[in-house]
Amino acid sequence: MTGASRGIGRSIALKLAHDGAHVVLVARSQAGLASVAAEITTDGGSAECIACDLADGTAFGALVESVAEKCGRLDILVNNAGITKDGLAMRMSDEDFDAVINVNLKSVFVGCRAALRPMMRARFGRIINIGSISGITGNAGQANYSAAKAALIGLSKTLAKEMGAKSITCNVVAPGFIETDMTEALGERIKEQIIPSIPLRRLGKPEDIAAAVAFLASEDAGYLTGQVIVVDGGLSC
Ligand code: NAP
């Protein structure tokens, strides 16, 4: 699973490991990954760390293939890593647009493509891509991020249609405002302005997203594919 060194990814990794999966933790920060792996081990779970920069799609595709080969199977792929490089569209540079598309979208395609062969062989697979409500509603200042997250929905629905006959499911979990480093940058004043518009009157916790991902990864979710599960405290309802 990607983006496992902190935030939402850390929580997803802890939950999947707690539920019995051997989790391969991927991000750039070796130290962050090692700390999450240590938490998993302390909880009695099993994990390994592989540092990789997802901006390099070729490296990530090779990583997924090697993990499937080494483990002899690949049951679940969670594409969670994501970055923002916000700015109004009229002032957004090509570099900032491409950087977000590469990490938030291209790496997801490359990872899914590499995962499909072992999943097809096993006639089982669960792919869960972490989107955002910005990909559903759009968000001023996030042309690059919203475009990438919207495209994830099209990609996931397409994979659901291509792979359903092989019992491979592909779904998107779309968080609202979740308390992580990514939203820390918003500042307290903005966060307090947002909370009254959330029906459940709080920002989400990474564990709220991990619970939805764990369900989609489970045997119980075998008849659920091509869907976008919005976990936003009701913000977009
Ligand atoms: P975060 O705290 O900023 O963590 C991002 C994770 O992605 C880190 O583990 C980071 O690890 C990894 N990552 C970033 N760039 C990478 C790269 N080039 N290569 C490999 N790993 C990379 O973010 P978060 O809030 O947990 O967000 C997780 C996902 O949820 C993202 O896809 C985000 O778009 C989505 N989301 C978040 C919110 C929110 O409110 N927080 C809302 C909607 C959607 P390293 O820095 O160690 O590489």
Side-chain angles (χ1 to χ4, degrees):
M1 79 147 293
T2 70
S5 60
R6 55 192 152 90
I8 292 171
R10 169 185 163 273
S11 280
I12 296 171
L14 292 175
K15 174 74 175 147
L16 293 178
H18 188 77
D19 290 354
H22 169 71
V23 186
V24 179
L25 309 168
V26 178
R28 288 166 304 180
S29 156
Q30 186 70 54
L33 294 175
S35 144
V36 175
E39 284 187 81
I40 288 174
T41 312
T42 303
D43 189 43
S46 165
E48 65 186 284
C49 310
I50 307 180
C52 178
D53 186 345
L54 300 187
D56 180 353
T58 311
F60 181 51
L63 185 160
V64 173
E65 281 170 15
S66 73
V67 165
E69 203 174 303
K70 184 178 147 225
C71 298
R73 56 197 273 198
L74 179 60
D75 300 326
I76 304 164
L77 174 67
V78 182
N79 289 299
N80 161 79
I83 57 168
T84 52
K85 286 190 182 290
D86 296 351
L88 292 176
M90 62 185 294
R91 286 200 284 269
M92 186 174 284
S93 67
D94 286 6
E95 288 75 19
D96 284 355
F97 189 84
D98 290 348
V100 169
I101 294 292
N102 273 337
V103 174
N104 295 14
L105 176 62
K106 177 92 184 284
S107 79
V108 177
F109 167 69
V110 168
C112 290
R113 186 178 58 190
L116 290 177
R117 208 174 296 279
M119 287 181 174
M120 281 171 72
R121 266 199 302 273
R123 298 190 72 85
F124 178 88
R126 296 275 193 270
I127 298 173
I128 299 134
N129 295 324
I130 306 301
S132 168
I133 53 169
S134 297
I136 299 169
T137 61
N139 194 22
Q142 291 196 311
N144 46 5
Y145 183 83
S146 302
K149 295 298 189 181
L152 271 192
I153 297 174
L155 170 64
S156 302
K157 286 179 182 283
T158 298
L159 293 179
K161 287 181 174 161
E162 289 184 2
M163 292 296 144
K166 304 284 184 196
S167 299
I168 299 168
T169 66
C170 184
N171 293 287
V172 174
V173 172
F177 286 97
I178 311 299
E179 288 185 274
T180 68
D181 291 352
M182 193 177 267
T183 43
E184 196 53 39
L186 292 174
E188 282 312 308
R189 197 175 56 85
I190 304 276
K191 284 199 232 167
E192 268 156 32
Q193 280 169 3
I194 292 165
I195 288 171
S197 58
I198 301 175
L200 290 175
R201 295 288 186 276
R202 66 171 175 89
L203 299 187
K205 298 184 195 325
E207 292 75 16
D208 294 317
I209 306 306
V213 171
F215 171 66
L216 289 172
S218 73
E219 292 285 344
D220 286 345
Y223 199 55
L224 207 168
T225 196
Q227 302 305 310
V228 181
I229 312 294
V230 178
V231 184
D232 68 350
L235 178 63
S236 62
C237 75

